[in-house]
Amino acid sequence: MKRSRLPLPPQVAALAICLALGALATPAAAEEVAVSIDNFTFTPAEVTVTPGTTVTWINNDDIPHTVVDKKQAFRSKALDTEGKFSFTFTNAGDYSYFCSLHPHMVGKVIVKAGG
Amino acid sequence: MSRHERPSSETAPRPDADGIDRRGFLECMTWAGTGILWSMSGGVASGVGLGRALAAEPVKALTFLQISDSHVGFDKAANPDALGTLREAVARIRTLKEKPAFMIHTGDISHLSKDKEFDDADQIIKEAGIPVFYVPGEHDLLDDGQGKAYLDRYGKGAKGAGWYSYDHGGVHFIALVNVVNLKAGGLGNLGVEQLEWLENDVAGLPSSTPLVVFAHIPLWTVYPEWGWGTADGLEALSYLKRFGSVTVLNGHIHQVMQKVEGNVSFHTARSTAFPQPAPGTAPSPGPLKLPAGELKKNLGIATVNFVRGSEPLAIIDTPLEG
Ligand SMILES: [Cu+2]
């Protein structure tokens, strides 16, 4: 089951995941956002979330990837196919991250209050 | 599609008069099928088909092998049995008429750096019955110690993240590691410490010493959009400029590609596990799923010959099938 084979543009597919996870989340604090990894690309490449949000990366490629913050706030192990990694962002700020195996793969999480 | 393509013929590919031009070299990697022998003379590359090469086999040559990207543990659609195809590659090595002096493995021995993957790879590779010199690929540094497992197993006597050099048959071999501390948005990386070591390593050598440099990621920029290159590769090559014969052997891109620039010839080997697409021909460099029967034509090994006392160097790429 390869998500990258969906006829939807990746952004739409990712949005669908976000909505699905959002529906499962408890209404109060914990927000959940998903970033999918398809075809050596973080999708969406940039997400803006509120403090307390948990971001979960899911690898849909048949090659392992990692999720590593440039400033070392987080670092996943190698995620094999369908592997997941979650990190809860408590502090506001910009988090630029990349895949340490394929460093041309980059993404960003922007954490800011409100919205 | 390209003038370089030779799907089944034994005719020699004909590079432009001045060697392989920049426009053309990306097309060269689309070669599949029978092996091609390359000999370098005065910076001009010329190729002949494997059949002719074997007929004119030099008598006194140093022969060694390159295998790469065995990705033991990989079991996805592109090749559900990466261990099996490694076994086939080693079986092919055992049938070679002239036993190679040794083998180099240009990294990605394992897929996920698991002990079992390394164990399985070692078990099969040792059946080749010749010494093996390794460099790590990024897939070999995925243990919790970020490379400790690799160094414990393969890094004895090596410096830093696993680099070293040795001499064999008058040739100086340099094993480099360019898969550590990769920077966001960037390419392969050697780092200051290794560059300094390299500069010192070759400092005392006469310029007539043939050099063979091997590392996992190509030392020259193949396709930066997919990270196929080494950020400080040019700096490394600058220390090697004065040498008359430099051969750079890499893996990582799972396809044969070659280029000649001055006295330096670059070559990448096929994987023994799965092929990857030609640069820019797919949305990503992920494993290429080929129709049944095509896989083994795109996996293989490389044989490298040095004829002592003369300039030519020859690399023969041999697919597992076809
Ligand atoms: Cu990656």
Side-chain angles (χ1 to χ4, degrees), chain B residues 199-224:
Chain B
E199 190 174 13
N200 287 326
D201 184 70
V202 299
L205 294 174
S207 302
S208 58
T209 312
L211 300 183
V212 172
V213 182
F214 59 103
H216 179 63
I217 298 177
L219 280 183
W220 91 97
T221 303
V222 173
Y223 194 62

Short mmCIF file of all heavy atoms in Angstrom, two decimals, chain B residues 199-224:
data_model
loop_
_atom_site.label_atom_id
_atom_site.label_comp_id
_atom_site.label_asym_id
_atom_site.label_seq_id
_atom_site.Cartn_x
_atom_site.Cartn_y
_atom_site.Cartn_z
N GLU B 199 45.56 14.79 2.69
CA GLU B 199 46.67 15.60 2.20
C GLU B 199 48.01 15.03 2.68
O GLU B 199 48.96 14.91 1.90
CB GLU B 199 46.50 17.06 2.69
CG GLU B 199 47.47 18.01 2.04
CD GLU B 199 47.20 19.47 2.42
OE1 GLU B 199 46.42 19.71 3.37
OE2 GLU B 199 47.77 20.35 1.76
N ASN B 200 48.04 14.64 3.96
CA ASN B 200 49.27 14.05 4.51
C ASN B 200 49.55 12.67 3.93
O ASN B 200 50.70 12.30 3.71
CB ASN B 200 49.16 13.93 6.04
CG ASN B 200 49.28 15.29 6.69
OD1 ASN B 200 50.02 16.15 6.21
ND2 ASN B 200 48.55 15.49 7.78
N ASP B 201 48.47 11.93 3.71
CA ASP B 201 48.64 10.55 3.25
C ASP B 201 49.36 10.48 1.91
O ASP B 201 50.15 9.58 1.67
CB ASP B 201 47.26 9.88 3.14
CG ASP B 201 47.37 8.41 2.75
OD1 ASP B 201 47.85 7.62 3.59
OD2 ASP B 201 47.00 8.07 1.61
N VAL B 202 49.05 11.43 1.01
CA VAL B 202 49.67 11.38 -0.32
C VAL B 202 50.92 12.25 -0.43
O VAL B 202 51.60 12.22 -1.47
CB VAL B 202 48.66 11.79 -1.44
CG1 VAL B 202 47.47 10.83 -1.43
CG2 VAL B 202 48.20 13.23 -1.28
N ALA B 203 51.22 13.01 0.63
CA ALA B 203 52.30 14.00 0.56
C ALA B 203 53.63 13.38 0.14
O ALA B 203 54.36 13.96 -0.65
CB ALA B 203 52.44 14.72 1.89
N GLY B 204 53.95 12.21 0.66
CA GLY B 204 55.27 11.62 0.39
C GLY B 204 55.34 10.77 -0.86
O GLY B 204 56.39 10.21 -1.17
N LEU B 205 54.24 10.64 -1.59
CA LEU B 205 54.21 9.72 -2.73
C LEU B 205 54.73 10.38 -4.01
O LEU B 205 54.39 11.53 -4.29
CB LEU B 205 52.78 9.24 -3.00
CG LEU B 205 52.10 8.38 -1.93
CD1 LEU B 205 50.65 8.15 -2.31
CD2 LEU B 205 52.83 7.06 -1.76
N PRO B 206 55.53 9.64 -4.79
CA PRO B 206 55.91 10.18 -6.10
C PRO B 206 54.66 10.34 -6.99
O PRO B 206 53.73 9.54 -6.89
CB PRO B 206 56.83 9.11 -6.69
CG PRO B 206 56.99 8.05 -5.67
CD PRO B 206 56.07 8.31 -4.53
N SER B 207 54.68 11.36 -7.84
CA SER B 207 53.51 11.64 -8.68
C SER B 207 53.21 10.54 -9.68
O SER B 207 52.14 10.48 -10.26
CB SER B 207 53.71 12.96 -9.43
OG SER B 207 53.93 14.00 -8.52
N SER B 208 54.18 9.64 -9.85
CA SER B 208 53.97 8.55 -10.80
C SER B 208 53.18 7.39 -10.18
O SER B 208 52.80 6.46 -10.88
CB SER B 208 55.32 8.03 -11.29
OG SER B 208 56.09 7.59 -10.17
N THR B 209 52.93 7.47 -8.86
CA THR B 209 52.17 6.39 -8.21
C THR B 209 50.72 6.40 -8.67
O THR B 209 50.04 7.41 -8.54
CB THR B 209 52.18 6.58 -6.67
OG1 THR B 209 53.50 6.83 -6.24
CG2 THR B 209 51.60 5.37 -5.96
N PRO B 210 50.24 5.30 -9.22
CA PRO B 210 48.81 5.26 -9.56
C PRO B 210 47.97 5.25 -8.27
O PRO B 210 48.31 4.56 -7.31
CB PRO B 210 48.65 3.92 -10.31
CG PRO B 210 50.04 3.44 -10.59
CD PRO B 210 50.94 4.06 -9.57
N LEU B 211 46.92 6.06 -8.27
CA LEU B 211 46.05 6.12 -7.10
C LEU B 211 44.68 5.56 -7.44
O LEU B 211 44.14 5.81 -8.52
CB LEU B 211 45.86 7.58 -6.65
CG LEU B 211 47.07 8.41 -6.24
CD1 LEU B 211 46.58 9.79 -5.76
CD2 LEU B 211 47.87 7.73 -5.14
N VAL B 212 44.13 4.83 -6.49
CA VAL B 212 42.73 4.43 -6.58
C VAL B 212 42.05 4.94 -5.31
O VAL B 212 42.47 4.63 -4.21
CB VAL B 212 42.55 2.91 -6.70
CG1 VAL B 212 41.08 2.52 -6.58
CG2 VAL B 212 43.13 2.40 -8.01
N VAL B 213 41.04 5.78 -5.49
CA VAL B 213 40.32 6.35 -4.37
C VAL B 213 38.92 5.77 -4.38
O VAL B 213 38.26 5.78 -5.42
CB VAL B 213 40.23 7.89 -4.50
CG1 VAL B 213 39.52 8.50 -3.29
CG2 VAL B 213 41.62 8.49 -4.66
N PHE B 214 38.47 5.24 -3.26
CA PHE B 214 37.09 4.76 -3.24
C PHE B 214 36.33 5.27 -2.03
O PHE B 214 36.89 5.49 -0.97
CB PHE B 214 37.00 3.24 -3.40
CG PHE B 214 37.70 2.39 -2.37
CD1 PHE B 214 36.98 1.76 -1.37
CD2 PHE B 214 39.07 2.17 -2.43
CE1 PHE B 214 37.61 0.94 -0.43
CE2 PHE B 214 39.72 1.36 -1.50
CZ PHE B 214 38.98 0.75 -0.49
N ALA B 215 35.04 5.51 -2.25
CA ALA B 215 34.14 6.05 -1.23
C ALA B 215 32.72 5.71 -1.68
O ALA B 215 32.50 5.36 -2.84
CB ALA B 215 34.31 7.57 -1.11
N HIS B 216 31.78 5.83 -0.78
CA HIS B 216 30.41 5.42 -1.13
C HIS B 216 29.73 6.39 -2.11
O HIS B 216 29.41 6.05 -3.24
CB HIS B 216 29.56 5.27 0.14
CG HIS B 216 28.15 4.87 -0.14
ND1 HIS B 216 27.84 3.66 -0.72
CD2 HIS B 216 26.97 5.51 0.05
CE1 HIS B 216 26.51 3.58 -0.86
NE2 HIS B 216 25.96 4.68 -0.41
N ILE B 217 29.53 7.62 -1.67
CA ILE B 217 28.85 8.61 -2.52
C ILE B 217 29.84 9.11 -3.57
O ILE B 217 31.02 9.31 -3.26
CB ILE B 217 28.32 9.78 -1.65
CG1 ILE B 217 27.29 9.26 -0.63
CG2 ILE B 217 27.69 10.88 -2.51
CD1 ILE B 217 26.75 10.32 0.32
N PRO B 218 29.39 9.32 -4.81
CA PRO B 218 30.32 9.84 -5.82
C PRO B 218 31.05 11.10 -5.32
O PRO B 218 30.44 11.99 -4.73
CB PRO B 218 29.40 10.17 -7.00
CG PRO B 218 28.27 9.22 -6.88
CD PRO B 218 28.06 9.06 -5.39
N LEU B 219 32.36 11.14 -5.61
CA LEU B 219 33.16 12.29 -5.18
C LEU B 219 32.95 13.48 -6.10
O LEU B 219 33.28 14.60 -5.77
CB LEU B 219 34.64 11.93 -5.15
CG LEU B 219 35.14 11.14 -3.95
CD1 LEU B 219 36.63 10.94 -4.05
CD2 LEU B 219 34.80 11.82 -2.63
N TRP B 220 32.41 13.22 -7.29
CA TRP B 220 32.11 14.32 -8.20
C TRP B 220 30.61 14.54 -8.21
O TRP B 220 29.84 13.67 -7.80
CB TRP B 220 32.68 14.05 -9.58
CG TRP B 220 31.82 13.34 -10.58
CD1 TRP B 220 31.08 13.93 -11.56
CD2 TRP B 220 31.61 11.94 -10.76
NE1 TRP B 220 30.44 12.98 -12.33
CE2 TRP B 220 30.75 11.74 -11.85
CE3 TRP B 220 32.08 10.79 -10.09
CZ2 TRP B 220 30.34 10.48 -12.31
CZ3 TRP B 220 31.67 9.54 -10.53
CH2 TRP B 220 30.82 9.39 -11.62
N THR B 221 30.18 15.72 -8.64
CA THR B 221 28.77 16.04 -8.58
C THR B 221 28.03 15.40 -9.75
O THR B 221 28.17 15.82 -10.89
CB THR B 221 28.57 17.56 -8.60
OG1 THR B 221 29.31 18.10 -7.49
CG2 THR B 221 27.11 17.93 -8.45
N VAL B 222 27.25 14.39 -9.44
CA VAL B 222 26.49 13.69 -10.46
C VAL B 222 25.13 14.35 -10.65
O VAL B 222 24.72 14.65 -11.77
CB VAL B 222 26.32 12.20 -10.07
CG1 VAL B 222 25.37 11.50 -11.04
CG2 VAL B 222 27.66 11.49 -10.04
N TYR B 223 24.44 14.58 -9.53
CA TYR B 223 23.10 15.15 -9.61
C TYR B 223 22.71 15.70 -8.23
O TYR B 223 22.16 14.99 -7.39
CB TYR B 223 22.11 14.06 -10.06
CG TYR B 223 20.76 14.60 -10.51
CD1 TYR B 223 20.66 15.46 -11.61
CD2 TYR B 223 19.60 14.24 -9.84
CE1 TYR B 223 19.43 15.94 -12.01
CE2 TYR B 223 18.35 14.70 -10.26
CZ TYR B 223 18.27 15.56 -11.34
OH TYR B 223 17.05 16.03 -11.76
N PRO B 224 23.03 16.97 -8.00
CA PRO B 224 22.86 17.53 -6.65
C PRO B 224 21.40 17.52 -6.18
O PRO B 224 21.14 17.44 -4.99
CB PRO B 224 23.39 18.97 -6.78
CG PRO B 224 23.52 19.23 -8.24
CD PRO B 224 23.66 17.90 -8.94
#
